[in-house]
């Protein structure tokens, strides 16, 4: 058995995972304020020990602990993290000082890609790309039947410019895919549409939801609101631009779409997305289209993938 | 020893290549009008036999013949070609009916990538990307120390949209990188600049060159022509947008730039390109920059790579 830990922005989540990717027990704790690398390593050990205890598992039955980190890793070291102030921290070693078990580190989006590849949307594909539409747009690449890690910072597909000199992005560039295809981008465009259309049903939906969120466009479109329908179409065009780019560069067998927005109605998101890619992608010239499907594992993908990292290297 | 054959748009070129990628003998013949798949296979055999004869080599000393095809292949079959009307042709088998030697087929851009990886700009890199700036923008990917072939049609990096709803592209999309960063794109922008600036030195350079070509912008910029300098800057911004996208997605150790335009003066092309990527790419956050260098093998890359394909699979 394996333990997978997902170091998220607000929570640490851990699972006891079997060889088939089934989560047998789970624990979580708030990340809290960053108290230093030693404190973080201690929290990770506490979480692993809580899992062992609650499930009545012996440490010797754990083949390794896999940890997904929101940043870049190299071997057992964290090179840097996005939201937590860590630079060049030997996290695996710090963990093992307290708990003597093999530790594997990997980027969190890569862990999610591995989870979906082994147990979810990417099962059986030699080449698999997953994108995650959340606050940003993340990506993970399984190429030639292996997690592709390049020099440690890969799959930053959200920071692919699709509109030169377009919307500013947090990364410093302008016109990144993330600025349009993320939930954040959709919310921005939803607000713009609301301001242009004071009679749009987007207003009613927003009132019901308690604020503008990534669901409003789809909900109002389902109520046959014309501005919302146009907004959904525009969103899919932006989403499809980047997806088609990835298909043209990497031609995966399967491309999965995860994150909150992936839960939107098929007819408004995945169907028009597939149509657009089928119309525009280069492999269509040889009659080859990738399968484009929703991710399957939701928030569990990161834990499962971290636990099963050994199968993707 | 090996024979590598490059099936180009106008010529068939072949080389006798040793284990180190050295071309020991070379032959070429015009491609001519397409007379059918059997005739093409015969031409390829004729070329291989000419190589054997001119170099005094015995067929039994040839471990295989590698053939680079401008299109998609699967095993020994050509799935389709871009400029030659072939669909699902068992080319390796047709070749072997006359000449009993193992035959490897691969896309021509992939062959060039293999050549540069083994003997040129990409030597020693685990992850290597090459882009070719010619009539279009081609690409080849060596990932995890192997040629990445996906489903057979990969590395179409030129057909990555960088300006949504921008210039029309032959592929059917709008705003593809190729429409800006290819020689064709540069020539279009050069003509635009000339029309806007009747006093630009671009006019004199064009007269000397006998027409507008991909060199004019750089030549006039070297003569301190302001509109040409601005044009070169604009071109590098387009080029850099796509290069940075590729770095953010794949983070190769080395990214090589080939094709006619790569021969432009360092100070006007490669230096500002490196500066732009260093400023904008995502891996800079971890202090990791790819090496961005010119390709080294020129037109020989395809022959050498075809000959040494066995080392990239």
């Amino acid at each position: 058995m394996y333990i997978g830990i997902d170091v998220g922005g607000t929570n640490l989540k851990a699972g006891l995972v079997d060889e088939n990717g089934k989560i047998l027990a789970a624990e979580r704790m708030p990340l809290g304020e960053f108290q230093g690398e030693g404190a973080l390593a201690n929290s990770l050990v506490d979480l692993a020990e809580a899992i062992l205890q609650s499930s009545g598992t012996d440490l010797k039955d754990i083949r390794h602990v896999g940890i997904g980190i929101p940043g870049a890793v190299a071997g057992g070291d964290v090179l840097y993290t996005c939201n937590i102030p860590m630079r060049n921290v030997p996290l695996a070693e710090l963990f093992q000082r307290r708990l003597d078990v093999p530790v594997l580190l990997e980027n969190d989006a890569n862990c999610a890609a591995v989870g979906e590849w082994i147990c979810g949307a990417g099962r059986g594909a030699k080449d698999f790309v997953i994108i995650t539409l959340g606050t940003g747009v993340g990506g993970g690449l399984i190429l030639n039947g292996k997690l592709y890690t390049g020099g440690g910072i890969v799959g930053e597909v959200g920071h692919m410019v699709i509109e030169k000199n377009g919307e500013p992005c947090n990364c410093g560039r302008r016109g990144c895919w993330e600025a349009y295809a993320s939930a954040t981008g959709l919310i921005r465009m939803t607000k713009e549409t609301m301001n242009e259309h004071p009679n749009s049903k987007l207003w009613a939906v927003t009132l019901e939801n308690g604020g503008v969120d990534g669901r409003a466009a789809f909900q109002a479109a389902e109520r046959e609101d014309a501005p919302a329908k146009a907004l959904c179409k525009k969103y899919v065009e932006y989403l499809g631009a980047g997806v088609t780019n990835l298909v043209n560069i990497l031609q995966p067998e399967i491309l999965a779409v995860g994150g909150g927005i992936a839960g939107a109605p098929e007819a408004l998101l995945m169907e028009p997305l597939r149509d657009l890619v089928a119309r525009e992608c280069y492999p269509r010239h040889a009659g080859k289209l990738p399968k484009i499907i929703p991710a399957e594992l939701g928030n569990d993908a990161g834990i499962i993938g971290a636990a099963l990292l050994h199968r993707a290297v």
Side-chain angles (χ1 to χ4, degrees), chain A residues 270-288:
Chain A
M270 296 303 287
E271 281 175 22
L273 174 64
R274 279 184 206 113
D275 290 348
L276 188 154
V277 175
R279 217 163 49 232
E280 294 208 351
C281 79
Y282 207 86
R284 78 182 191 279
H285 294 299
K288 292 197 173 192

Side-chain angles (χ1 to χ4, degrees), chain A residues 17 72 79 106 116 137 151 165 181 185 213 215 230 253 262 272 277 286 302 310 312:
Chain A
V17 177
L79 295 184
E106 190 44 79
E116 287 285 349
V137 174
N165 299 322
D213 60 20
R215 298 169 299 169
E253 268 171 87
V277 175
H310 60 295

Side-chain angles (χ1 to χ4, degrees), chain A residues 30-253:
Chain A
L31 179 61
E33 188 111 3
F34 183 67
Q35 307 277 346
E37 53 206 53
L40 176 67
N42 273 333
S43 297
L44 294 169
V45 171
D46 290 345
L47 202 57
E49 286 182 334
I51 282 273
L52 295 175
Q53 196 162 9
S54 69
S55 63
T57 308
D58 216 76
L59 181 61
K60 71 172 169 37
D61 293 325
I62 301 298
R63 296 189 41 192
H64 69 246
V65 175
I67 306 176
I69 300 286
V73 305
D77 298 344
V78 175
L79 295 184
Y80 88 103
T81 41
C82 302
N83 304 309
I84 309 167
M86 281 200 289
R87 294 289 178 278
N88 302 312
V89 170
L91 190 66
E93 192 195 313
L94 294 176
F95 187 101
Q96 289 168 316
R97 280 188 199 162
R98 264 190 58 199
L99 206 61
D100 184 23
V101 60
V103 172
L104 302 178
L105 300 187
E106 190 44 79
N107 168 269
D108 56 353
N110 286 348
C111 288
V114 169
E116 287 285 349
W117 178 55
I118 296 178
C119 304
R123 269 187 304 269
K126 179 171 74 72
D127 305 305
F128 170 62
V129 170
I130 180 167
I131 61 166
T132 308
L133 310 173
T135 312
V137 174
L141 313 174
I142 307 286
L143 304 177
N144 272 332
K146 263 191 192 178
L147 177 64
Y148 177 72
T149 56
I153 304 150
V154 301
E156 290 294 348
V157 300
H159 301 292
M160 158 172 64
V161 164
I162 58 162
E163 185 139 288
K164 201 163 165 298
N165 299 322
E167 293 290 326
C169 179
N170 291 334
C171 80
R173 302 183 83 189
R174 295 189 76 100
C176 283
W177 193 28
E178 172 161 310
Y180 303 90
S182 63
T184 316
L186 178 56
I187 289 168
R188 175 180 52 74
M189 294 191 284
T190 302
K191 287 177 180 165
E192 288 165 8
T193 304
M194 289 169 72
N195 287 331
E196 285 160 18
H197 300 277
N199 297 320
S200 163
K201 289 179 184 159
L202 285 165
W203 290 95
V205 167
T206 292
L207 210 62
E208 289 163 29
N209 292 349
V212 183
D213 60 20
R215 298 169 299 169
F218 302 105
Q219 289 168 328
E222 283 201 301
R223 296 185 197 175
E224 297 296 334
D225 181 60
K229 285 164 87 171
L231 169 62
C232 289
K233 189 163 173 285
K234 177 172 149 183
Y235 175 76
V236 169
E237 279 170 12
Y238 279 114
L239 177 61
V243 168
T244 307
N245 283 356
L246 291 175
V247 169
N248 286 356
I249 297 169
L250 294 171
Q251 200 201 1
E253 268 171 87

